[in-house]
Amino acid sequence: MRNFLKYLTVFVMFVPVLPAQDKPSEDKSSDVRFSADMLDKSVDPCNDFYAYACGKWIAKNPVPADRSSWGRFNELQQRGEYIVHDILEKAASAGPGRSANEQKIGDYYASCMDESAVEKAGIKPLESDLGRIAAIHSKQDLPKEIVQLHREGTDVLFGFDSGSDFKNASQIIAEVDQGGLGLPDRDYYFKDDEKSAELRKKYVEHVAKMFTLLGEDPAKAAVEAKVVMEIETGLAKGAFDQTTRRDPQKIYHKMTNKELAALSPAFDWNVYFEGVGAPRFDSLNVVEPEFIKNMQQVISAHSLDDWKMYLRWHVVHNSAAMLPAAFVNENFEFFSKTLQGTKELRPRWKRCVGYSDDDLGDAVGEVYVQQTFGAEGKERTLAMVGALEKALGEDIKGLPWMGADTKAQALVKLQAITNRIGYPDKWRDYSTLQIVRGDALGNSRRANQYEVQRRLNKIGKPLDKGDWPYTPMTVNASYYPTQKNITCPAGILPPQFYDNRADDAMNFGGIGAVIGHELTHGFDDEGSQFDAAGNLRDWWTAEDKKKFEERTDCIKDQYGSFVAVDDLKLNGKLTLGENTADNGGMRIAYMAMLSTFAGKEPAPVDGLSAEQRFFLGWANVWCQNRTDALARMMVTLDPHSPGKNRVNATVSNMPEFREAYHCAAPAPMVNQNACRVW
Ligand SMILES: [Zn+2]
């Protein structure tokens, strides 16, 4: 089950939800710590700190053939991948004494790996879906079919899910959202530059090829692919771009079911809601009313036969990973090679490890944390979070631009933030999910059904604070404004972080600033609109809000001036929250480090002071390479800036960096017009 984090969840980095890839030959126990021999001493740190700290790593670590990017986080992911691989191999080969979860993860993985069974089954596993679609009699019957496909996790026409009520955050309500696009974002359908036009042409060719693999005549498939493109372009017209989706005011429209029905009378919502398996409800969040209104027009504008083509495409697209090699390869050609610049498909075992994580993450995760994450990891992380929260409190109290009333509110909000470290207290119960050895696609379908149902069951219930949005193996961290919690899973906390050789200065600049980044998200342009209860409510005085916006404008302009690839600049507004979080996170991590030292400067290591090592700790997190194709894609999709800007722009805003590296005033790493929000 992929792509269920729709909006508002703010991570420390972006993970494309397109087919993942990985590196072919690698060191299983990657140590992601920084060491002094990584420094490129031919570069002046005041000139280009990123090149000084990462240059050597970048030269030694080109993007592997089966990936579109490679960074230090990927090394961490790789470490986790080998651990999970061992867990799955053991569970797959063990005999009858297996626990219920071992049976599920072992048989899921074994089925995924059984290529000959997948080839032998061919497209047979799709027959029931394709047969149902062929048998639809009228457009009136579309809602019934959408129910079936949504229950299997196939993204068609629109999205339906549960989510927090922005204005009553302790309650979970139903929500209808945009959806049903095959390309990664609505902008892909409209951008008029040459590269985008070429991508659209290749996308249509890809859709046609997938139809021919289903056995259709190539000429007919080409015509049908064009129809699919027309329908998706029609739907995309009503959809928001990524920048708009970061604005909570624009994605919250609570209405009654009747009001929703009035937006699109051609679609029978009663049939849909009754069939999809959600508890009864009378009102919901219509995330983008314009999308639903527009959807009505697109439904009317196309014939039933057109809609059948569109649905068939999404069925085969959604199932591609578990179909025979011809489908997998064609899917790779477009979504990885053309879109992201990846050269090779990653080995099957790695793909199957990824799918097992996606579909049975808690069952794998329970074993994973037993092997990798002890009480020591949790304690050390909690101590660091405590120090960072204290620093943020002091930072807020000392802000020169904020008035006393807003400060008092901000401190209440800080107090309300909760921390989830390592792994959830309660694991998901998979007892109702049936995993059958030898049925790869069926297993994936049933896992999707299980996850869809689990999410819909939340509707009408209070928020379950113990439910994690992703697995403990995940190498990432996040903040969610309506739940006002940070989540820091075991995957991003490797033993090197808390073993007794760990360097505090490096740790504060690395994982400390990452956690500080998440805390700051509570106070970025988006998070600052939610109050201490997690509700969308303005708690600012008008004067302080104005000063806040002047300061965030500085960040917006600074990052918006950076070139991402060719002549394409970063979107300063899309990346504003993340850039604010990077700058704030570094500041409070630095403050927390100093207070931990309590006036006792630690001894230099390799001739580097603790302050210098702190900044190297930050740079080390973001050393990365990426293909130009991915860099281009990220400008549209990714709210984070590229590693180079995350490092250089952030340090250039900090006088502490200037002092640590003794930079003379006019130097590239000294921003004369330094931006500071928090
Ligand atoms: Zn973030």
Side-chain angles (χ1 to χ4, degrees), residues 400-407 538-551:
W401 56 271
M402 189 185 268
D405 288 351
T406 312
K407 278 185 183 176
D538 192 4
W539 46 274
W540 294 69
T541 65
E543 195 185 336
D544 287 339
K545 192 80 192 192
K546 194 166 156 272
K547 287 182 188 156
F548 173 78
E549 281 165 3
E550 279 164 19
R551 283 165 185 268

Side-chain angles (χ1 to χ4, degrees), residues 13 20-21 63 104 148 273 283 290 346 412 475 484 603:
M13 68 162 181
Q21 316 93 37
V63 178
K104 286 187 190 357
Q148 294 298 324
F273 290 145
S283 62
E290 285 308 315
R346 72 176 174 161
V412 173
V475 183
K484 55 214 164 76

Side-chain angles (χ1 to χ4, degrees), residues 10-13 477-478 517-518 521 524 577-578 581-582 640 646:
V10 274
F11 287 99
V12 73
M13 68 162 181
S478 64
H517 167 109
E518 297 308 336
H521 269 313
D524 67 17
E578 297 301 335
D582 278 351
H640 304 88
R646 297 189 78 159

Side-chain angles (χ1 to χ4, degrees), residues 441-460:
L441 182 60
N443 289 338
S444 159
R445 285 276 171 82
R446 284 185 292 274
N448 278 353
Q449 273 162 3
Y450 166 88
E451 178 63 8
V452 167
Q453 191 62 58
R454 194 188 70 81
R455 295 177 64 80
L456 295 186
N457 286 345
K458 293 166 182 277
I459 294 171

